[in-house]
Amino acid sequence: MTSHQSTQTMKPATAAKKLGVYLEATPAEFQEGVVTRDELNALQADPPEWLRELRSNGPHPRPVVAAKLGVSISGLARGGVTEALTTEQIEALKQESPEWLQKERATQAEVRKETVRIKEKNKQEQEQQGS
C-alpha cells in the first residue's frame, strides 16, 4: 500500500472544471493522471505557464464562454455554440453581435432582474413576519 491511498484525489475532468479550463486543451500528463487536493491547490496558487495561457486565451469550457458572453449555457446551445471557444473567438462574437447573442443577453438580464426582485420580495416578507 502506498501513502497516496489516504490522499484525496480527483479525476482530471473534475480538476479542470475547478480550474475553469477546457480539459481537452490541457497537457497530456494532466489529462492522463489523477490530481490530488494539494496539487490542485498548488495549481491555483501558482499556476504554471500552460494554465495561465489557457485561462487567458482558451479554448474555454462552455461555462466560461457563457460568462464571458453574458448568457446562460442554454443560451449558448440555442445560439448553436456547442464547442469550446478561444478568447479571440469570443471577442469576435461580441463584435459581430449576432441576433441570437443580443436576444440571449436580454433574456439573461431579465433573469437577473427577476432574481433580484424575488430576493427583495422574500426579504420584505421575512421582515413583515418578524415584526
Side-chain angles (χ1 to χ4, degrees), residues 25 93 130:
L93 255 178

Side-chain angles (χ1 to χ4, degrees), residues 40-55:
L40 179 70
N41 290 341
L43 286 169
Q44 289 172 325
D46 186 21
E49 181 59 34
W50 65 264
L51 182 53
R52 286 195 301 272
E53 180 70 20
L54 276 179
R55 285 178 168 169

Side-chain angles (χ1 to χ4, degrees), residues 56-131:
S56 175
N57 300 318
H60 303 286
R62 285 181 311 176
V64 174
V65 173
K68 286 180 180 274
L69 289 173
V71 301
S72 66
I73 294 172
S74 299
L76 280 181
R78 285 190 291 271
V81 178
T82 57
E83 300 296 318
L85 298 179
T86 63
T87 300
E88 190 176 298
Q89 291 169 314
I90 293 168
E91 290 305 316
L93 255 178
K94 285 180 179 177
Q95 291 296 320
E96 186 183 313
S97 193
E99 188 177 328
W100 72 264
L101 181 56
Q102 293 173 33
K103 182 181 174 204
E104 291 300 336
R105 281 181 162 173
T107 300
Q108 192 70 6
E110 287 299 317
V111 167
R112 286 189 194 110
K113 274 198 274 188
E114 182 64 7
T115 301
V116 169
R117 186 192 69 76
I118 290 169
K119 198 177 203 178
E120 287 298 316
K121 181 181 174 220
N122 290 342
K123 183 179 174 185
Q124 287 175 355
E125 287 174 359
Q126 285 180 347
E127 287 172 357
Q128 287 173 355
Q129 289 174 356
S131 299

Side-chain angles (χ1 to χ4, degrees), residues 17-64:
K17 189 174 185 178
K18 289 180 182 289
L19 292 169
V21 295
Y22 186 56
L23 178 62
E24 285 76 10
T26 61
E29 60 270 11
F30 181 86
Q31 292 180 40
E32 294 164 2
V34 293
V35 180
T36 66
R37 176 69 58 192
D38 289 341
E39 289 170 337
L40 179 70
N41 290 341
L43 286 169
Q44 289 172 325
D46 186 21
E49 181 59 34
W50 65 264
L51 182 53
R52 286 195 301 272
E53 180 70 20
L54 276 179
R55 285 178 168 169
S56 175
N57 300 318
H60 303 286
R62 285 181 311 176
V64 174

